Amino acid sequence: MPNKTRKKSFGLAIFSSAIIVLSSCGNGANKNAGAQPPANYQVFTVTPQAATLHTSYPAVMQGEQTIDIRPKVDGYIEKIYIDEGSVVKKGQLLFKLSAPEYEQTVINSIAAINSAKADINSAEIAVNKTKPLVDKGIISEYELQTDQNTLNTKKAALAQAQTTLATAKVNLGYTYVTSPVDGVVGSIPYRLGSLITATTANPLTTVANIGKVYAYFSLNEKQLLDFSRSVKGSTLDEKLKNTPPVNLTLADGSAYPEKGHLETISGVLNTTTGSASFRAAFPNPVHLLRSGSSGNVDIPQALTNAILIPQRSAYELQGKYFVYVLDANNLVKNQEIQVMELTAGQYYVVTSGLKDGDKIVYDGTISLKDSTKITPQPMSSDKVYQDLKN
């Protein structure tokens, strides 16, 4: 073969080999470029925390006393000394009833007393006149005994007249209707001239003693169990004493400035509602709270060494809660947890499924899947639980 042809073939071979080598290098580079490293996710370590649970319950307020003001005698309303919403003191005059028959009875009783006293004087004179005659034997003992019986009869008549007067004065006093307690006057359905009797359906008014106000609310059976387990004490009285002061939120969303305390818990669950009734007492020095008003009672429950996780770190599926737990190989695993119904702000209180030292993905419940490998980015405990420390 000529030299020229041989050189040409050798050059083509070298060119082809170069193309193959370059092609192989290119394929290797593309293959390495397609391999993605594990995604970064923030991870924190579970550590026991101290926290306070705040749970609100709808409540209805009632004054310490709410008393119907009813007359004890019949009569027409002659005067009204108060208005609806007035603050009154115990013994303060509220109404004056017109009942002339009781005034007349008083007058007649006084007259009867005066007459009885005059009769007694006459009977005493007769006795004093008869006695010397009997002593001298001029008249018989019978005459003296008769005069003495007459005197006793007149004295009895005086005593009866005095009793009648006392009763008449009491009845006349009932025409002045006063407040039995300190409190606030309710509605007044009657006006001047209205006839009022002891059997009238509606009271003259009501007086509510609201120096202390009771808030009534209910807990369902599960909430009651959580409450009983979280408050120290072996008896109901001990648990009530160990319960921290409770807060009250008013109907407009504002916080009531005075703290209250739990006083009673119903010992029997309502079979219809499945709930237990609670009563909390709040001082009401400026009468801001009124009977019949509504609000929300907040019962704080202090926890120590509780397993807490941010709510954003968990997800709910078919009524169950799950988190992603990181293992030693940086693989995440679905872990079911049990949480309390009560929450500590933005945190779940975990009762089972996690322990101290577990590593949890902070925020990846939407993008992560089970057995995914990640690159953990550790978070400090202070950053995770900073809301609890504010």
Side-chain angles (χ1 to χ4, degrees):
M1 180 179 292
N3 291 335
K4 187 176 180 180
T5 303
R6 197 178 300 162
K7 290 179 179 179
K8 185 176 180 180
S9 299
F10 180 74
L12 289 172
I14 294 174
F15 180 73
S16 298
S17 299
I19 292 175
I20 292 172
V21 171
L22 291 172
S23 176
S24 298
C25 293
N27 289 338
N30 290 337
K31 185 176 180 180
N32 292 334
Q36 297 293 329
N40 295 332
Y41 283 91
Q42 291 181 311
V43 175
F44 68 94
T45 301
V46 173
T47 56
Q49 300 288 323
T52 301
L53 306 183
H54 292 277
T55 309
S56 294
Y57 303 94
V60 176
M61 311 299 163
Q62 290 294 331
E64 187 175 7
Q65 293 173 290
T66 301
I67 301 174
D68 289 343
I69 305 300
R70 296 181 179 277
K72 293 185 178 181
V73 296
D74 302 345
Y76 294 92
I77 297 179
E78 183 177 324
K79 289 184 179 180
I80 300 176
Y81 296 94
I82 40 84
D83 199 357
E84 296 173 346
S86 299
V87 177
V88 296
K89 297 294 184 180
K90 181 178 180 179
Q92 182 175 334
L93 185 60
L94 306 178
F95 299 90
K96 170 65 171 68
L97 302 182
S98 175
E101 63 272 23
Y102 297 112
E103 296 178 1
Q104 190 61 47
T105 302
V106 169
I107 295 172
N108 292 340
S109 298
I110 292 174
I113 288 174
N114 292 332
S115 176
K117 288 179 177 180
D119 291 341
I120 288 175
N121 290 333
S122 298
E124 287 177 342
I125 291 172
V127 169
N128 293 333
K129 182 179 178 181
T130 304
K131 189 175 181 180
L133 298 178
V134 172
D135 293 340
K136 294 178 181 180
I138 299 174
I139 60 176
S140 67
E141 183 74 24
Y142 174 80
E143 296 292 338
L144 178 59
Q145 189 62 45
T146 300
D147 291 341
Q148 187 65 50
N149 289 340
T150 301
L151 175 60
N152 292 338
T153 301
K154 301 303 181 182
K155 288 182 177 180
L158 174 61
Q160 183 177 2
Q162 289 173 334
T163 301
T164 302
L165 176 61
T167 302
K169 285 183 176 179
V170 169
N171 288 333
L172 184 61
Y174 288 149
T175 63
Y176 295 88
V177 182
T178 60
S179 176
V181 294
D182 296 345
V184 178
V185 176
S187 63
I188 302 175
Y190 304 103
R191 294 297 178 260
L192 295 177
S194 299
L195 175 62
I196 303 298
T197 68
T199 58
T200 301
N202 294 322
L204 288 168
T205 188
T206 58
V207 175
N209 182 356
I210 56 174
K212 180 169 70 173
V213 171
Y214 296 123
Y216 292 90
F217 59 99
S218 299
L219 270 67
N220 62 38
E221 189 171 0
K222 186 177 185 302
Q223 292 169 333
L224 181 61
L225 289 173
D226 287 342
F227 172 81
S228 299
R229 289 167 180 159
S230 62
V231 179
K232 295 180 180 180
S234 57
T235 65
L236 180 60
D237 288 340
E238 289 178 357
K239 289 182 180 295
L240 289 174
K241 291 178 181 178
N242 292 329
T243 303
V246 298
N247 303 312
L248 177 64
T249 302
L250 303 179
D252 62 356
S254 63
Y256 184 62
E258 301 288 342
K259 298 287 186 179
H261 62 277
L262 289 182
E263 287 194 341
T264 62
I265 303 175
S266 173
V268 179
L269 288 176
N270 187 310
T271 55
T272 303
T273 62
S275 61
S277 177
F278 280 58
R279 187 184 78 194
F282 290 87
N284 192 28
V286 297
H287 293 171
L288 181 62
L289 303 179
R290 298 297 178 98
S291 290
S293 59
S294 61
N296 287 281
V297 173
D298 175 21
I299 303 179
Q301 297 184 31
L303 301 178
T304 56
N305 296 323
I307 299 296
L308 303 178
I309 62 168
Q311 293 184 14
R312 65 191 302 171
S313 302
Y315 66 94
E316 185 179 0
L317 181 63
Q318 295 181 348
K320 298 180 179 180
Y321 290 90
F322 298 86
V323 294
Y324 284 108
V325 179
L326 188 68
D327 66 11
N329 298 318
N330 291 338
L331 295 176
V332 296
K333 180 183 69 173
N334 280 326
Q335 176 65 46
E336 182 181 353
I337 59 174
Q338 303 292 328
V339 301
M340 290 181 62
E341 183 172 331
L342 307 181
T343 60
Q346 298 299 315
Y347 298 86
Y348 288 126
V349 182
V350 180
T351 56
S352 66
L354 292 177
K355 63 182 182 300
D356 183 12
D358 284 343
K359 294 182 178 180
I360 309 298
V361 176
Y362 178 67
D363 189 7
T365 57
I366 297 177
S367 57
L368 275 177
K369 294 183 179 179
D370 198 25
S371 299
T372 301
K373 188 170 186 177
I374 67 170
T375 300
Q377 303 293 316
M379 297 178 64
S380 68
S381 177
D382 289 342
K383 184 175 181 180
V384 175
Y385 296 109
Q386 61 183 347
D387 291 343
L388 292 173
K389 298 173 173 60
N390 291 338

